[in-house]
Amino acid sequence: MDKYWLPVILFFLLILGACNEEEIFFIENQGNPTAEEILSKNKNADIFEYERIIYKNAEEVEWVQDLELEIGKEVTQITKQSQDGKGFTSGTATKLPVGTIIYEPLEKQGLVLIAVVDGQQIRYLGLVEG
């Protein structure tokens, strides 16, 4: 019977080894990440909250940058800045200035939103479990 446990243990080690840190983070939490969780791992994270979903700056996410997007309708505005994840509500951001308008793309592309700051478009990706 002992010889059967080795393949099972090796299988689970392989699965865990294949997960990157972000995937493990979501497995541990079993739900959408909160601002508090994200900021506890990276105090400099560029995030905002909209409709109970945290959106993270996607400048380093190649597939988001490769999307051909046009600005659609306004969905929200940044109303508060905070580095404390406990006080996050819809419209709170860590880096975006108060008054920044957030738009959805003309043709929706998953959970991608666009912030416009000083005429520059910044893409953000919603972080959801699953």
Side-chain angles (χ1 to χ4, degrees):
M1 183 107 174
D2 288 333
K3 66 181 179 181
Y4 294 106
W5 283 105
L6 183 61
V8 171
I9 292 171
L10 288 175
F11 173 76
F12 283 109
L13 288 174
L14 178 65
I15 295 297
L16 286 175
C19 292
N20 65 31
E21 184 178 318
E22 198 167 271
E23 289 173 83
I24 292 170
F25 175 75
F26 289 123
I27 291 169
E28 289 173 356
N29 291 295
Q30 295 297 308
N32 292 345
T34 65
E36 189 173 1
E37 291 167 337
I38 293 167
L39 292 171
S40 73
K41 294 191 178 287
N42 178 3
K43 293 185 186 300
N44 294 316
D46 181 0
I47 60 174
F48 71 88
E49 184 172 329
Y50 170 63
E51 292 187 343
R52 298 185 186 173
I53 295 175
I54 300 299
Y55 286 79
K56 184 176 180 187
N57 185 311
E59 68 183 9
E60 295 181 10
V61 181
E62 189 174 332
W63 71 265
V64 174
Q65 296 305 313
D66 289 344
L67 294 172
E68 292 188 29
L69 301 178
E70 291 183 45
I71 291 180
K73 72 175 187 170
E74 177 181 329
V75 293
T76 194
Q77 183 174 355
I78 301 304
T79 56
K80 178 172 92 170
Q81 265 195 350
S82 176
Q83 296 299 317
D84 179 12
K86 292 177 188 173
F88 256 65
T89 58
S90 196
T92 305
T94 56
K95 306 271 184 193
L96 292 171
V98 170
T100 300
I101 306 295
I102 309 295
Y103 300 88
E104 66 182 10
L106 195 55
E107 292 184 24
K108 258 190 144 175
Q109 298 288 332
L111 289 174
V112 175
L113 294 178
I114 304 166
V116 177
V117 178
D118 296 328
Q120 179 184 357
Q121 295 182 19
I122 306 168
R123 296 173 183 197
Y124 285 79
L125 180 62
L127 303 176
V128 293
E129 187 246 341

